[in-house]
Amino acid sequence: MTARLSLYRKAEQELYKLDRSVKAQFYDFCHVFRNKPNQPGLKLKKLKGDSRIWSARVNDSYRALLTPTGVDADGTESWLVIAVRHRKDVYEELQVAVNRVTGEIEFVDLAVVGDSALRRAGIALTPAEPDQAAPRTEAEPTPQPPLLVETPLLAAYSADQLRELGVADQLVELALAVTSSAELDQLVEGAPLLSKDVLYGLAAGMSIDDVRKEITQPVELGEEPDLGDFAAALSRTKVTAVDDDVQAAIDQGDFRAWKVFLHPTQERIVHRLYKGPARVSGGPGTGKTIVALHRVKHLAEQLPPGSNKAILLTTFTKNLTTDLRLRLASLIEPELLARVEIAHIDQLAARVLGENTAAGRGRQRVYDHVALNEMRQLLAEVDDHRWEPEFLLEEWEQVILGQSVPTRSAYFQARRAGRGRSLTRPERNHIWKLIEQFTARLDKLGVETWGQASERAARFEMERAAKIKDRREYKEEVGGKDLIHRDNSSGMRYINYRYRHIVVDEAQDLSPAHWKMLRAMADPDLPNDMFIAGDTHQRIYDHQVALGALGIHIRGRSSRLTLSYRTTKEILTKALRVVDPVTPGRTVSYDDLDDGTDNLAGYRSVLHGPAPAFTPYDTWDDELAGLATTLTTWRDELSTDDNGSPRDPSGHIAVCVADRDMVSQTMYYLATKAGITCAELTKDGPKGDGEIHVGTMHRFKGLEYQRLAIVGASDGIIPRTHVIDRYRTEDPARYEREQRKARSLLFVATTRARDALSISWHIKPSPYLPV
């Protein structure tokens, strides 16, 4: 008799944490079990508590816990490995069941639950393999100290509510008995994934309705499952077949490297059919980018045969595009990757302009600081002190260019949501005249801003889309006849939408002109036309948009991720205090890209690590010396792996500062005074092969590091108070917007750290720091 083995997702996670020798022995066990599951040496036997769980010997110390899931027509038995445990951690109270919400198999392990919580619930664990060497005595059990009466952490909820949300029946009473976050952490360590998400969501302050909408409903089966049908449940459960291919992964020592894991909530978002634009939001580290990449993979696998680049993957900056290209290449096959266009948004606009501009007629594109200097000079020449040059430049870019406002009369009617101070009709008239003088000045110099370029590119694409629509309407009018003669005369024969699908990452930083260009590049009549990933709490550029006003309607097709897979609880707690110093994520209003508001309620992490270090210094030089000491310690700690083997720590440690001058000063000090080599983070990625990456906060967008130091986080630097203080009285709305943008920048920086975060300042800390 032979057997087929599959791995439960929790078993995979356990295997990853085990020593390499145990992993190899587990592979040997799988080989033997598949060929002869009843071999005496495996010691296959049922546990007494749940007869559906069997124990089998991996080696003298470790046991595989399995459950049978059916028998094929040829007599082959199917088994699911649900855990790999040290024999002292195998208890009779282990249980396997079918979840009433998802219809999937789930394994409940009480061995890791805190003793106090077990005693409150009246549960005593029974070892499945008593220690035979222990002396047998009739002594009375050691008395336990009385339990203090404390308020349960989830006292506001009932057992029925927890069951309805999908918490495993075996955990409900325990969940209602825990009294602290530490106890809850122990409880969910061995809990099924849905139970863990629901309990953490409630503990983080999410309402019952929000938990149901954002956690339970996305993974709900849609029909009442048969709780006794394990074969059907197995077909719904994400498992991995165990075969010879797994040996290489085990030998490499990284059991997860061969398989990309998606949380079930994320998986439903990735594979869903959307009849229009869809959006996923969530805090840093919740997996928005990995969802976007898997979405690209899913769409590429559904493409009809062809060789064109039918999918666009785009984002705001060049260095993020480089990162997306590398990550996507590791996820999909080369032939599918060839069907994907990967370009940052300005690169895309430049390509459109190149196609529509005669040779030699293009303009040189300049960045905003060049345009700002020209605006300052214009105001000085006309002796106009009424308006700040920054305000005029933003009014031009966000309102006039963002909405493609063609005339002064149209500007009088233009929507100015999010711009702060209101403008009277005479003020708009005066601003329009200044903008006309300013654009004439740029024309004379033969330059244009990237904002101008994006607006022109959007107009070209909108004209293209209008021609496609006109052709389709005419074809319908003439009864679907061939339009070869009409096409030849108009030059439209091969014109079509550029892309079948568009996927956008870091969506919160795109301008209205960018969105209008993208909207015109994909057919709005086809499903899955646009997929948008972003978080307005991480907006670090002043682009306020309302997607619905731009023809991108996401109502009813929005999802929110709340579980961070990157940042530890300790770091996250402090980071949330940056964006909202009072009640994290709830009292500061952030837009949702569609005229609504968004918050970080329920945003949480299941990871633990050291608390962030906050260190004051008297001078900038003292702070740099402290940084050198921290980096040296981190480098030494990361130079060996858990088994003591040497490891290159390069690229795992980074230093984040406020501006380019501080980048140069930091790199010079570390190289000359501490002998630490550095690589600067640029728009093209790390420049050089130094072991420590150093960059401004803007350059850390979308990146992550094992250990991160933020230096120079001083009052007056974060934020630059001389820049925003002038708005405090003359434009309070603008002042609040600048404050929010600066907070978001620091929030982005703090959440780039995975395991350890160090923040320092000299003289006086930034008012945004939770110290």
Side-chain angles (χ1 to χ4, degrees):
M1 182 173 59
T2 60
R4 181 178 295 107
L5 276 177
S6 298
L7 273 175
Y8 187 61
R9 64 171 68 93
K10 289 286 289 183
E12 291 184 38
Q13 296 169 358
E14 291 174 355
L15 282 164
Y16 174 67
K17 299 173 184 178
L18 296 178
D19 289 341
R20 189 173 302 180
S21 60
V22 179
K23 295 175 186 178
Q25 288 172 319
F26 173 76
Y27 174 76
D28 292 337
F29 158 81
C30 291
H31 179 76
V32 173
F33 191 96
R34 291 202 310 269
N35 288 292
K36 192 175 182 181
N38 56 358
Q39 185 188 95
L42 295 178
K43 297 183 178 179
L44 183 66
K45 63 179 182 179
K46 290 181 181 180
L47 295 186
K48 294 178 180 178
D50 188 332
S51 61
R52 292 169 298 187
I53 299 181
W54 296 63
S55 169
R57 181 182 180 278
V58 174
N59 61 22
D60 287 342
S61 299
Y62 281 85
R63 303 292 181 262
L65 300 176
L66 312 94
T67 186
T69 56
V71 181
D72 292 348
D74 63 358
T76 301
E77 295 182 342
S78 292
W79 290 77
L80 179 65
V81 180
I82 54 179
V84 179
R85 294 289 164 80
H86 194 284
R87 63 184 184 85
K88 67 180 178 61
D89 296 323
V90 178
Y91 291 85
E92 298 290 358
E93 287 73 21
L94 299 175
Q95 294 187 9
V96 64
V98 177
N99 185 275
R100 67 180 67 249
V101 169
T102 65
E104 297 182 2
I105 290 176
E106 59 183 18
F107 168 58
V108 178
D109 175 17
L110 303 184
V112 294
V113 178
D115 180 63
S116 56
L118 288 170
R119 282 193 285 144
R120 284 193 197 95
I123 297 174
L125 299 183
T126 307
E129 297 186 43
D131 188 350
Q132 300 300 324
R136 295 180 176 271
T137 68
E138 300 299 326
E140 293 292 327
T142 303
Q144 298 290 340
L147 292 173
L148 297 176
V149 179
E150 299 179 70
T151 302
L153 191 65
L154 301 175
Y157 308 103
S158 69
D160 287 343
Q161 286 175 317
L162 297 191
R163 290 190 182 95
E164 180 190 349
L165 293 172
V167 176
D169 287 344
Q170 302 90 336
L171 296 178
V172 169
E173 296 303 326
L174 274 168
L176 294 175
V178 299
T179 59
S180 67
S181 294
E183 283 188 354
L184 183 63
D185 288 342
Q186 288 179 311
L187 175 65
V188 301
E189 177 67 24
L193 198 54
L194 179 57
S195 296
K196 176 186 291 189
D197 288 350
V198 168
L199 295 176
Y200 267 139
L202 294 174
M206 295 179 73
S207 68
I208 287 281
D209 289 341
D210 284 344
V211 170
R212 183 179 293 109
K213 177 183 177 182
E214 297 175 18
I215 298 176
T216 303
Q217 285 183 354
V219 297
E220 203 165 15
L221 180 60
E223 60 186 37
E224 187 173 348
D226 181 348
L227 302 185
D229 190 344
F230 265 48
L234 180 64
S235 69
R236 307 182 194 110
T237 306
K238 194 173 185 67
V239 299
T240 303
V242 178
D243 53 31
D244 292 337
D245 291 338
V246 81
Q247 185 176 18
I250 294 176
D251 292 341
Q252 291 169 3
D254 184 353
F255 199 77
R256 294 184 300 183
W258 62 285
K259 180 174 176 288
V260 178
F261 171 74
L262 273 178
H263 187 286
T265 303
Q266 296 172 336
E267 191 169 27
R268 297 291 178 95
I269 295 171
V270 165
H271 294 150
R272 189 173 299 164
L273 173 67
Y274 297 101
K275 296 181 179 179
R279 183 199 61 179
V280 60
S281 63
T286 53
K288 297 182 300 299
T289 296
I290 195 64
V291 165
L293 291 171
H294 276 272
R295 181 67 177 171
V296 172
K297 177 179 183 289
H298 172 70
L299 294 173
E301 291 171 343
Q302 311 304 313
L303 286 175
S307 59
N308 65 316
K309 291 186 179 295
I311 302 173
L312 170 67
L313 173 60
T314 188
T315 188
F316 189 68
T317 61
K318 187 176 181 181
N319 62 322
L320 282 182
T321 306
T322 302
D323 181 62
L324 290 175
R325 181 177 289 107
L326 291 173
R327 294 171 71 174
L328 187 61
S330 68
L331 191 62
I332 68 177
E333 299 299 323
E335 58 270 19
L336 292 182
L337 185 62
R339 304 291 305 277
V340 182
E341 182 77 48
I342 307 173
H344 63 85
I345 197 71
D346 285 337
Q347 180 185 7
L348 200 61
R351 184 181 306 157
V352 171
L353 294 179
E355 294 175 3
N356 291 276
T357 305
R361 298 287 297 276
R363 305 174 192 174
Q364 179 184 355
R365 292 177 195 108
V366 296
Y367 289 100
D368 285 350
H369 69 276
V370 176
L372 186 60
N373 287 335
E374 292 298 326
M375 181 68 81
R376 286 197 182 100
Q377 291 182 33
L378 170 64
L379 295 178
E381 290 172 8
V382 300
D383 196 27
D384 191 326
H385 303 287
R386 188 174 179 181
W387 308 101
E388 291 286 344
E390 292 86 358
F391 175 83
L392 292 176
L393 193 66
E394 290 171 1
E395 184 75 9
W396 176 55
E397 293 240 338
Q398 294 181 31
V399 179
I400 296 174
L401 292 179
Q403 299 179 44
S404 297
V405 177
T407 63
R408 179 176 56 181
S409 59
Y411 178 50
F412 290 157
Q413 307 299 320
R415 188 175 184 270
R416 299 184 65 258
R419 288 290 296 137
R421 61 173 295 181
S422 60
L423 297 175
T424 64
R425 188 180 180 90
E427 286 175 331
R428 293 200 188 202
N429 182 62
H430 182 64
I431 288 174
W432 184 265
K433 290 181 178 178
L434 288 173
I435 296 299
E436 285 184 326
Q437 292 175 277
F438 171 68
T439 54
R441 187 184 189 96
L442 295 182
D443 287 342
K444 187 176 180 180
L445 294 171
V447 301
E448 67 177 348
T449 66
W450 280 101
Q452 280 179 291
S454 298
E455 193 274 336
R456 286 205 299 131
R459 277 192 281 118
F460 281 128
E461 285 302 299
M462 291 166 70
E463 290 170 4
R464 176 191 177 104
K467 290 178 181 178
I468 297 170
K469 183 179 179 181
D470 176 65
R471 183 186 190 279
R472 288 182 176 179
E473 290 176 351
Y474 182 79
K475 189 170 183 178
E476 290 179 6
E477 183 181 331
V478 298
K481 295 179 181 179
D482 200 346
L483 303 182
I484 291 177
H485 296 297
R486 182 176 187 267
D487 291 345
N488 285 341
S489 63
S490 63
M492 291 177 56
R493 183 173 185 182
Y494 298 107
I495 192 170
N496 206 337
Y497 288 99
R498 290 181 183 269
Y499 305 103
R500 188 181 185 94
H501 310 289
I502 293 176
V503 177
V504 184
D505 192 31
E506 300 292 350
Q508 70 278 354
D509 288 324
L510 271 61
S511 72
H514 292 145
W515 286 113
K516 288 197 292 186
M517 178 180 69
L518 292 174
R519 173 63 285 175
M521 286 180 162
D523 189 344
D525 294 332
L526 291 179
N528 301 322
D529 54 336
M530 299 183 75
F531 187 85
I532 299 162
D535 173 26
T536 54
H537 295 83
Q538 299 182 66
R539 179 186 287 127
I540 60 176
Y541 300 96
D542 209 358
H543 292 150
Q544 301 284 327
V545 300
L547 293 178
L550 300 171
I552 302 172
H553 304 287
I554 58 175
R555 298 284 173 88
R557 292 184 293 272
S558 293
S559 305
R560 189 163 72 104
L561 303 174
T562 55
L563 183 62
S564 175
Y565 298 91
R566 176 177 66 225
T567 305
T568 64
K569 279 187 175 181
E570 291 74 12
I571 293 174
L572 185 59
T573 299
K574 298 297 184 182
L576 288 173
R577 293 275 302 281
V578 170
V579 288
D580 187 341
V582 183
T583 306
R586 296 194 183 181
T587 61
V588 175
S589 178
Y590 289 79
D591 68 278
D592 67 349
L593 293 177
D594 201 32
D595 276 341
T597 59
D598 196 10
N599 60 53
L600 291 174
Y603 178 41
R604 67 232 188 260
S605 173
V606 297
L607 306 175
H608 279 289
F614 293 89
T615 310
Y617 292 94
D618 293 331
T619 67
W620 176 227
D621 280 346
D622 290 342
E623 189 174 355
L624 289 175
L627 171 66
T629 300
T630 297
L631 295 179
T632 300
T633 301
W634 284 353
R635 182 182 59 184
D636 292 344
E637 290 174 350
L638 294 181
S639 293
T640 56
D641 62 20
D642 294 339
N643 297 319
S645 302
R647 172 174 65 182
D648 183 5
S650 298
H652 295 278
I653 304 173
V655 178
C656 183
V657 296
D659 56 43
R660 286 292 306 281
D661 286 342
M662 297 180 78
V663 170
S664 301
Q665 295 168 22
T666 301
M667 293 179 65
Y668 177 79
Y669 185 95
L670 293 176
T672 60
K673 301 294 181 64
I676 297 175
T677 60
C678 299
E680 181 181 355
L681 285 177
T682 70
K683 63 181 180 180
D684 298 313
K687 183 180 180 181
D689 56 359
E691 54 195 330
I692 308 296
H693 291 179
V694 182
T696 63
M697 292 181 177
H698 286 84
R699 292 297 176 210
F700 279 86
K701 193 65 177 290
L703 304 180
E704 65 178 58
Y705 289 87
Q706 199 165 344
R707 305 192 182 192
L708 176 73
I710 300 175
V711 294
S714 303
D715 189 18
I717 297 177
I718 304 175
R720 292 289 184 184
T721 51
H722 71 278
V723 174
I724 68 170
D725 273 357
R726 64 173 180 265
Y727 303 119
R728 189 188 297 269
T729 56
E730 64 185 52
D731 192 350
R734 171 68 184 274
Y735 176 75
E736 291 301 321
R737 194 166 72 249
E738 292 295 328
Q739 289 261 55
R740 186 161 53 243
K741 186 168 66 174
R743 283 187 181 278
S744 292
L745 191 59
L746 184 57
F747 178 59
V748 167
T750 56
T751 54
R752 300 308 97 187
R754 284 168 42 196
D755 300 334
L757 173 66
S758 170
I759 302 178
S760 63
W761 63 89
H762 53 278
I763 304 177
K764 186 179 179 181
S766 164
Y768 302 157
L769 292 179
V771 294

